[in-house]
Amino acid sequence: MNKINYQKELDKLIQTLCKEKTVPTLLLHSCCAPCSSYCIEYLSQYFKITVFYYNPNLYPDEEYEKRVKEQVNFIDRFNQTDPVFPIKVISGDFDKESFYDFIKGYEGEPEGGARCGRCFRLRMSKTAQMAKEGKFDYFATTLTISPLKNAEFINGIGCEIADEAGVDYLCTDFKKKNGYKRSVELSKEYDMYRQDYCGCVYSYKERMERR
């Protein structure tokens, strides 16, 4: 079975949009400001983007506050660079209990395992719901930019959710075209806070154990 090249597929879609002079609306789930930086820089040339910051998995509370402020601050500053289509942002609810309820029974899974899959699904499902309600043309997630995350796995979840919700999902692999490298450069350029763990209490504990 041939592996899908998600970047090539996205390139084809963008070529079609440019040819037809169409600018779709996109609700982009963001896991954090650094990861969103390249995704926004890249896609804002072709889509009218609203960033949806929804991450109830974050631990502790101070970490959530730090990351959401960094996200809003980055978008404010990015919009000052006069992008083709200015970025909007929506901050979702920090409903921590929904995360713990959703991953119940998977607490002991290793980082990158089934627990993470549940976490991706929770956040992307909420994004799809918001996209449906807001009548966006597409929804997507910045999660595929991480070298530690499997784009095929994430896009598979996104496509399943899209079918369930009745809204189109934009498949991506943002780490392609040196996307991750560019996100690191943008983080330095904007002097962003870059966290050293994914976000949940379990990844936090793993980081502390490594230390």
Side-chain angles (χ1 to χ4, degrees):
M1 185 175 178
N2 291 331
K3 202 172 181 181
I4 299 172
N5 187 320
Y6 295 105
Q7 184 59 55
K8 273 191 177 180
E9 294 302 311
L10 181 56
D11 287 341
K12 288 178 187 176
L13 173 61
I14 287 173
Q15 287 173 9
T16 300
L17 295 177
C18 292
K19 187 176 180 181
E20 297 177 351
K21 296 182 179 179
T22 302
V23 184
T25 54
L26 170 67
L27 186 64
L28 178 66
H29 164 260
S30 172
C31 55
C32 64
C35 285
S36 75
S37 59
Y38 164 74
C39 309
I40 289 171
E41 180 186 63
Y42 171 43
L43 293 180
S44 62
Q45 304 170 75
Y46 314 106
F47 295 85
K48 293 178 182 176
I49 300 173
T50 297
V51 169
F52 182 44
Y53 189 85
Y54 177 68
N55 299 292
N57 57 310
L58 293 182
Y59 174 90
D61 291 6
E62 310 89 78
E63 184 70 18
Y64 175 85
E65 294 299 331
K66 191 182 291 186
R67 295 194 197 188
V68 74
K69 284 178 182 176
E70 194 67 70
Q71 181 70 78
V72 172
N73 181 52
F74 166 67
I75 291 173
D76 284 344
R77 294 176 65 193
F78 182 81
N79 280 334
Q80 291 172 23
T81 67
D82 198 23
V84 179
F85 303 106
I87 312 303
K88 298 178 182 178
V89 61
I90 300 171
S91 294
D93 295 331
F94 185 38
D95 48 348
K96 296 178 286 185
E97 291 310 311
S98 66
F99 167 69
Y100 292 111
D101 288 344
F102 207 73
I103 57 98
K104 192 172 183 179
Y106 294 84
E107 295 90 341
E109 290 287 324
E111 190 71 8
R115 185 188 66 241
C116 293
R118 296 285 293 174
C119 181
F120 300 159
R121 183 174 292 276
L122 171 66
R123 291 183 281 168
M124 293 167 72
S125 293
K126 185 70 171 181
T127 308
Q129 178 190 336
M130 292 286 291
K132 179 78 171 178
E133 292 172 359
K135 297 182 179 178
F136 285 83
D137 295 310
Y138 296 93
F139 77 98
T141 180
T142 63
L143 289 166
T144 63
I145 199 168
S146 171
L148 302 176
K149 292 181 173 64
N150 186 315
E152 187 172 7
F153 179 57
I154 292 168
N155 286 323
I157 293 172
C159 289
E160 287 177 15
I161 292 170
D163 288 341
E164 295 164 4
V167 59
D168 287 335
Y169 171 71
L170 189 70
C171 288
T172 63
D173 192 354
F174 289 120
K175 66 180 73 64
K176 299 291 187 180
K177 290 188 171 181
N178 289 319
Y180 178 73
K181 179 183 177 185
R182 179 58 181 156
S183 75
V184 173
E185 292 171 352
L186 285 166
S187 296
K188 291 178 181 176
E189 184 180 322
Y190 283 86
D191 193 25
M192 287 188 212
Y193 163 66
R194 286 186 69 89
Q195 64 278 1
D196 61 356
Y197 68 105
C198 186
C200 71
V201 63
Y202 309 103
S203 61
Y204 177 81
K205 287 178 178 177
E206 283 194 18
R207 181 196 68 171
M208 296 305 289
E209 287 171 5
R210 287 197 302 271
R211 285 185 174 181

